[in-house]
Amino acid sequence: MPEATGDRAPSSCRELFAVFTRLALQGFGGVLPVAQRELVERERWLSREQFLRMLSLAQVLPGPNVINLALMIGDRYFGWRGAAAALGGMLLAPLALVLLLAMLALRLQDWPLVTGALRGMGVAAAGLVLATAVKLGAGLRRNVLGLPLVALGVALTLIAVGVLRWPLVWVVLGLGIVSCSAAWWRLPR
Amino acid sequence: MTTLLWGPLGLGTAEWLQLFVHFLALSLLAIGGAMTTAPDMQRFVVGERGWLSDAQFTASVALAQAAPGPNVLFVAVIGFNIGGLAGMLATMAGTLLPSTTLALTATRWGDRRRESRVLRAFTAGLAPLTIGLLLATGWILLEPARTHPGTAVLVVATLWLMLRTTWSPLWPIALGAGVGAAGLL
């Protein structure tokens, strides 16, 4: 086991699985706030600083952030078996639930009440994603690129992907390389 | 039973593979979370293939948001609505395999070099793209309802609840369901 964390540690892969299942099932509209509460405050597997450090790395890596976080925590204690246990805990029970919901929606899709409700939920879901963008966007003010370049990057991405519907791969590679190079230039050596 | 396993469209093996490969390719492009690749998923499954309608795509994301668990599960619902349990396996495995492999191999490497200039340039450079992609996702999810005047009101209400109160995201979803079921959208 690497360096000591928090002041407690999971005793087995089973415990990892159980704790991640418990926290995933509490996470409505995002698991991250629950993860911090359960792992740092309740289980005390990680200190607040360790949690933030792992999270910042999980966010740099591509892929779902909380999934990356679960893998990293599981791996820290029990190697790949721990990573698998944490991942399974995070995904299996919520997956079963959401599939039941999807099946139910599929069965009821001819009811106008249900189509209407789904339509409204869709609008709210879009609003939730936009709210995330606004919240995270506040952090852009401290970005090394400076506000004009940041705004240009946001606008070009939105137009290329949202309006012109260009394939993501070209936008991320093209704009991403330009943007990262500009950031590299501007960072102190 | 067949519908449960293979979905309502009767996808063949070749199409199943195309679905898997497209989500596999998107996996490593998911900078800042899986939701940033939703526009490209929509472009492929709705625009290019016609496997789902705009409304079905948005509803898939909404259902996942209404259930507990990580947001990435919207990928599972999209897969399930296209190709049943097999479709779900294609989209989830495609989305998770490359990124989990990378996360496991990069963890120790990255933890030591967290302060390096290259990694900081990478994070700072991609941040504006992440926000642009989230805005694009929101815009695309509104596709089925964009012209309706009630849509703007509900979006503003959702933004207000999320940015100005500490209410759970479940409330805007419930509000949307109520407003939609009442036929106001």
Side-chain angles (χ1 to χ4, degrees):
Chain A
M1 199 184 297
E3 64 190 270
T5 55
D7 54 359
R8 284 193 230 156
S11 62
S12 63
C13 285
R14 248 173 105 144
E15 192 185 349
L16 267 175
F17 182 89
V19 167
F20 275 96
T21 300
R22 193 180 71 212
L23 74 87
L25 286 178
Q26 294 175 64
F28 282 96
V31 178
L32 211 52
V34 189
Q36 125 97 29
R37 200 174 60 223
E38 291 283 316
L39 297 172
V40 178
E41 283 153 36
R42 184 159 163 192
E43 298 296 334
R44 283 161 46 199
W45 290 349
L46 300 168
S47 68
R48 192 176 296 268
E49 291 68 35
Q50 283 166 331
F51 182 83
L52 281 178
R53 212 173 64 198
M54 282 186 138
L55 180 63
S56 69
L57 187 60
Q59 283 171 331
V60 177
L61 292 165
N65 297 334
V66 283
I67 300 290
N68 286 343
L69 190 71
L71 288 168
M72 287 158 65
I73 293 173
D75 178 58
R76 192 181 188 96
Y77 295 106
F78 301 108
W80 69 268
R81 282 169 45 244
L87 179 71
M90 193 69 117
L91 286 180
L92 287 182
L95 185 65
L97 260 178
V98 84
L99 284 186
L100 279 177
L101 213 59
M103 274 184 242
L104 195 70
L106 217 54
R107 180 146 300 183
L108 302 178
Q109 64 184 346
D110 298 326
W111 297 20
L113 209 65
V114 174
T115 31
L118 279 173
R119 219 169 123 85
M121 285 161 69
V123 173
L128 289 179
V129 175
L130 292 174
T132 309
V134 173
K135 270 186 201 166
L136 292 178
L140 289 179
R141 259 175 298 188
R142 292 184 306 274
N143 194 293
V144 68
L145 287 168
L147 212 50
L149 278 185
V150 162
L152 186 68
V154 171
L156 286 179
T157 310
L158 172 60
I159 291 167
V161 174
V163 182
L164 301 175
R165 307 309 310 272
W166 288 354
L168 185 65
V169 56
W170 304 123
V171 180
V172 168
L173 286 183
L175 260 179
I177 288 171
V178 174
S179 183
C180 290
S181 311
W184 194 79
W185 237 186
R186 288 195 165 218
L187 277 168
R189 263 142 245 256
Chain B
M1 202 61 200
T2 344
T3 324
L4 180 64
L5 280 180
W6 293 99
L9 305 173
L11 290 196
T13 322
E15 286 150 316
W16 186 89
L17 262 178
Q18 287 164 1
L19 185 66
F20 174 66
V21 168
H22 192 86
F23 279 67
L24 197 68
L26 284 182
S27 176
L28 293 183
L29 295 174
I31 50 165
M35 201 51 98
T36 56
T37 52
D40 208 83
M41 293 172 184
Q42 201 261 11
R43 191 183 63 80
F44 182 70
V45 305
V46 178
E48 217 167 275
R49 295 297 154 134
W51 285 333
L52 294 180
S53 68
D54 274 325
Q56 286 172 314
F57 186 89
T58 298
S60 302
V61 177
L63 271 183
Q65 301 252 40
N71 288 330
V72 66
L73 290 175
F74 80 91
V75 171
V77 184
I78 290 171
F80 181 78
N81 282 336
I82 295 173
L85 290 177
M88 182 218 66
L89 193 68
T91 55
M92 278 302 269
T95 299
L96 289 178
L97 279 179
S99 69
T100 48
T101 310
L102 182 72
L104 281 179
T105 46
T107 299
R108 292 189 183 114
W109 181 89
D111 204 30
R112 270 180 279 129
R113 292 171 181 74
R114 212 160 36 88
E115 296 304 322
S116 81
R117 191 170 165 208
V118 173
L119 207 57
R120 278 190 301 152
F122 184 72
T123 323
L126 289 183
L129 271 75
T130 302
I131 306 300
L133 289 175
L134 286 176
L135 292 175
T137 301
W139 175 247
I140 284 161
L141 289 179
L142 288 175
E143 191 92 52
R146 217 179 276 156
T147 50
H148 199 286
T151 299
V153 179
L154 185 52
V155 168
V156 170
T158 304
L159 280 170
W160 187 82
L161 282 174
M162 286 300 99
L163 300 173
R164 290 277 173 269
T165 72
T166 52
W167 288 23
S168 149
L170 215 50
W171 289 109
I173 295 275
L175 182 69
V179 170
L184 297 173
L185 266 176

Short mmCIF file of all heavy atoms in Angstrom, two decimals, chain A residues 19-43:
data_model
loop_
_atom_site.label_atom_id
_atom_site.label_comp_id
_atom_site.label_asym_id
_atom_site.label_seq_id
_atom_site.Cartn_x
_atom_site.Cartn_y
_atom_site.Cartn_z
N VAL A 19 -18.97 0.62 -0.49
CA VAL A 19 -18.96 2.07 -0.27
C VAL A 19 -19.24 2.82 -1.57
O VAL A 19 -20.02 3.78 -1.59
CB VAL A 19 -17.60 2.51 0.35
CG1 VAL A 19 -17.46 4.02 0.29
CG2 VAL A 19 -17.52 2.04 1.78
N PHE A 20 -18.65 2.36 -2.68
CA PHE A 20 -18.89 3.05 -3.95
C PHE A 20 -20.33 2.85 -4.44
O PHE A 20 -20.91 3.74 -5.04
CB PHE A 20 -17.87 2.64 -5.01
CG PHE A 20 -16.62 3.46 -4.92
CD1 PHE A 20 -15.51 2.98 -4.23
CD2 PHE A 20 -16.56 4.72 -5.47
CE1 PHE A 20 -14.36 3.75 -4.11
CE2 PHE A 20 -15.41 5.50 -5.36
CZ PHE A 20 -14.32 5.01 -4.68
N THR A 21 -20.92 1.68 -4.14
CA THR A 21 -22.33 1.48 -4.47
C THR A 21 -23.19 2.46 -3.68
O THR A 21 -24.07 3.13 -4.23
CB THR A 21 -22.78 0.04 -4.15
OG1 THR A 21 -22.00 -0.87 -4.90
CG2 THR A 21 -24.25 -0.16 -4.48
N ARG A 22 -22.88 2.58 -2.38
CA ARG A 22 -23.67 3.46 -1.52
C ARG A 22 -23.58 4.90 -2.00
O ARG A 22 -24.58 5.60 -2.09
CB ARG A 22 -23.15 3.34 -0.09
CG ARG A 22 -24.08 3.96 0.94
CD ARG A 22 -23.49 3.81 2.32
NE ARG A 22 -22.35 4.68 2.49
CZ ARG A 22 -21.30 4.40 3.27
NH1 ARG A 22 -21.25 3.26 3.93
NH2 ARG A 22 -20.31 5.24 3.38
N LEU A 23 -22.37 5.35 -2.34
CA LEU A 23 -22.27 6.75 -2.74
C LEU A 23 -22.86 6.99 -4.12
O LEU A 23 -23.46 8.05 -4.37
CB LEU A 23 -20.84 7.27 -2.58
CG LEU A 23 -19.71 6.90 -3.52
CD1 LEU A 23 -19.68 7.83 -4.70
CD2 LEU A 23 -18.40 7.00 -2.76
N ALA A 24 -22.76 6.02 -5.02
CA ALA A 24 -23.33 6.20 -6.37
C ALA A 24 -24.84 6.33 -6.30
O ALA A 24 -25.44 7.13 -7.01
CB ALA A 24 -22.92 5.05 -7.28
N LEU A 25 -25.46 5.52 -5.41
CA LEU A 25 -26.92 5.53 -5.34
C LEU A 25 -27.47 6.80 -4.69
O LEU A 25 -28.66 7.08 -4.76
CB LEU A 25 -27.42 4.29 -4.57
CG LEU A 25 -27.32 2.99 -5.37
CD1 LEU A 25 -27.77 1.81 -4.53
CD2 LEU A 25 -28.13 3.06 -6.67
N GLN A 26 -26.59 7.56 -4.04
CA GLN A 26 -27.05 8.83 -3.47
C GLN A 26 -26.87 9.98 -4.43
O GLN A 26 -27.33 11.09 -4.18
CB GLN A 26 -26.24 9.16 -2.21
CG GLN A 26 -26.46 8.22 -1.07
CD GLN A 26 -25.52 8.59 0.06
OE1 GLN A 26 -25.59 9.66 0.63
NE2 GLN A 26 -24.60 7.70 0.36
N GLY A 27 -26.15 9.74 -5.53
CA GLY A 27 -25.76 10.83 -6.42
C GLY A 27 -26.79 11.14 -7.48
O GLY A 27 -26.73 10.59 -8.57
N PHE A 28 -27.72 12.01 -7.15
CA PHE A 28 -28.67 12.46 -8.16
C PHE A 28 -28.07 13.66 -8.88
O PHE A 28 -27.72 14.65 -8.24
CB PHE A 28 -30.00 12.83 -7.52
CG PHE A 28 -30.83 11.63 -7.17
CD1 PHE A 28 -30.80 11.10 -5.90
CD2 PHE A 28 -31.62 11.02 -8.13
CE1 PHE A 28 -31.55 9.99 -5.58
CE2 PHE A 28 -32.38 9.91 -7.81
CZ PHE A 28 -32.33 9.39 -6.53
N GLY A 29 -27.96 13.58 -10.20
CA GLY A 29 -27.42 14.69 -10.97
C GLY A 29 -25.95 14.93 -10.70
O GLY A 29 -25.48 16.05 -10.70
N GLY A 30 -25.21 13.86 -10.46
CA GLY A 30 -23.77 14.00 -10.26
C GLY A 30 -23.34 13.42 -8.93
O GLY A 30 -23.97 13.63 -7.90
N VAL A 31 -22.27 12.65 -8.95
CA VAL A 31 -21.84 11.89 -7.79
C VAL A 31 -20.76 12.61 -7.00
O VAL A 31 -20.51 12.32 -5.83
CB VAL A 31 -21.34 10.49 -8.25
CG1 VAL A 31 -20.85 9.67 -7.09
CG2 VAL A 31 -22.45 9.75 -8.97
N LEU A 32 -20.13 13.60 -7.65
CA LEU A 32 -18.94 14.22 -7.07
C LEU A 32 -19.14 14.78 -5.66
O LEU A 32 -18.34 14.49 -4.77
CB LEU A 32 -18.45 15.31 -8.02
CG LEU A 32 -16.95 15.53 -8.00
CD1 LEU A 32 -16.21 14.23 -8.20
CD2 LEU A 32 -16.58 16.53 -9.06
N PRO A 33 -20.19 15.57 -5.41
CA PRO A 33 -20.36 16.11 -4.05
C PRO A 33 -20.54 15.00 -3.02
O PRO A 33 -20.01 15.09 -1.91
CB PRO A 33 -21.64 16.95 -4.15
CG PRO A 33 -21.89 17.15 -5.60
CD PRO A 33 -21.24 16.03 -6.33
N VAL A 34 -21.27 13.94 -3.39
CA VAL A 34 -21.47 12.81 -2.48
C VAL A 34 -20.14 12.10 -2.24
O VAL A 34 -19.84 11.69 -1.11
CB VAL A 34 -22.49 11.82 -3.08
CG1 VAL A 34 -22.85 10.78 -2.04
CG2 VAL A 34 -23.72 12.53 -3.57
N ALA A 35 -19.35 11.95 -3.30
CA ALA A 35 -18.06 11.24 -3.18
C ALA A 35 -17.18 11.94 -2.16
O ALA A 35 -16.58 11.30 -1.31
CB ALA A 35 -17.37 11.19 -4.55
N GLN A 36 -17.15 13.24 -2.23
CA GLN A 36 -16.31 14.00 -1.29
C GLN A 36 -16.80 13.80 0.15
O GLN A 36 -16.02 13.55 1.06
CB GLN A 36 -16.31 15.47 -1.73
CG GLN A 36 -16.73 16.49 -0.72
CD GLN A 36 -15.50 17.10 -0.05
OE1 GLN A 36 -14.44 17.18 -0.63
NE2 GLN A 36 -15.65 17.51 1.19
N ARG A 37 -18.14 13.83 0.32
CA ARG A 37 -18.69 13.68 1.66
C ARG A 37 -18.41 12.28 2.22
O ARG A 37 -17.97 12.12 3.35
CB ARG A 37 -20.20 13.93 1.62
CG ARG A 37 -20.80 14.27 2.96
CD ARG A 37 -22.26 14.65 2.82
NE ARG A 37 -23.04 13.58 2.26
CZ ARG A 37 -23.97 13.74 1.33
NH1 ARG A 37 -24.21 14.93 0.83
NH2 ARG A 37 -24.66 12.71 0.89
N GLU A 38 -18.65 11.25 1.39
CA GLU A 38 -18.51 9.87 1.86
C GLU A 38 -17.05 9.47 2.07
O GLU A 38 -16.71 8.84 3.06
CB GLU A 38 -19.15 8.91 0.85
CG GLU A 38 -20.67 9.01 0.78
CD GLU A 38 -21.33 8.32 1.96
OE1 GLU A 38 -20.91 7.21 2.31
OE2 GLU A 38 -22.28 8.89 2.53
N LEU A 39 -16.20 9.82 1.12
CA LEU A 39 -14.82 9.32 1.16
C LEU A 39 -13.94 10.11 2.12
O LEU A 39 -13.05 9.56 2.76
CB LEU A 39 -14.20 9.35 -0.25
CG LEU A 39 -14.87 8.46 -1.28
CD1 LEU A 39 -14.31 8.71 -2.66
CD2 LEU A 39 -14.72 7.00 -0.90
N VAL A 40 -14.21 11.42 2.19
CA VAL A 40 -13.36 12.26 3.04
C VAL A 40 -13.94 12.36 4.44
O VAL A 40 -13.25 12.13 5.44
CB VAL A 40 -13.20 13.66 2.42
CG1 VAL A 40 -12.38 14.56 3.33
CG2 VAL A 40 -12.56 13.56 1.04
N GLU A 41 -15.23 12.70 4.53
CA GLU A 41 -15.79 12.98 5.85
C GLU A 41 -16.27 11.73 6.58
O GLU A 41 -16.02 11.58 7.77
CB GLU A 41 -16.92 14.00 5.72
CG GLU A 41 -16.38 15.41 5.52
CD GLU A 41 -17.33 16.31 4.77
OE1 GLU A 41 -18.55 16.17 4.97
OE2 GLU A 41 -16.86 17.13 3.96
N ARG A 42 -16.94 10.82 5.86
CA ARG A 42 -17.50 9.67 6.55
C ARG A 42 -16.49 8.53 6.69
O ARG A 42 -16.22 8.07 7.79
CB ARG A 42 -18.75 9.20 5.81
CG ARG A 42 -19.43 8.07 6.52
CD ARG A 42 -20.87 7.95 6.11
NE ARG A 42 -21.38 6.64 6.49
CZ ARG A 42 -22.53 6.16 6.08
NH1 ARG A 42 -23.29 6.87 5.26
NH2 ARG A 42 -22.94 4.98 6.46
N GLU A 43 -15.92 8.07 5.58
CA GLU A 43 -15.00 6.94 5.64
C GLU A 43 -13.60 7.36 6.06
O GLU A 43 -12.82 6.55 6.55
CB GLU A 43 -14.93 6.24 4.27
CG GLU A 43 -16.25 5.64 3.81
CD GLU A 43 -16.72 4.53 4.73
OE1 GLU A 43 -15.88 3.90 5.40
OE2 GLU A 43 -17.95 4.31 4.79
#
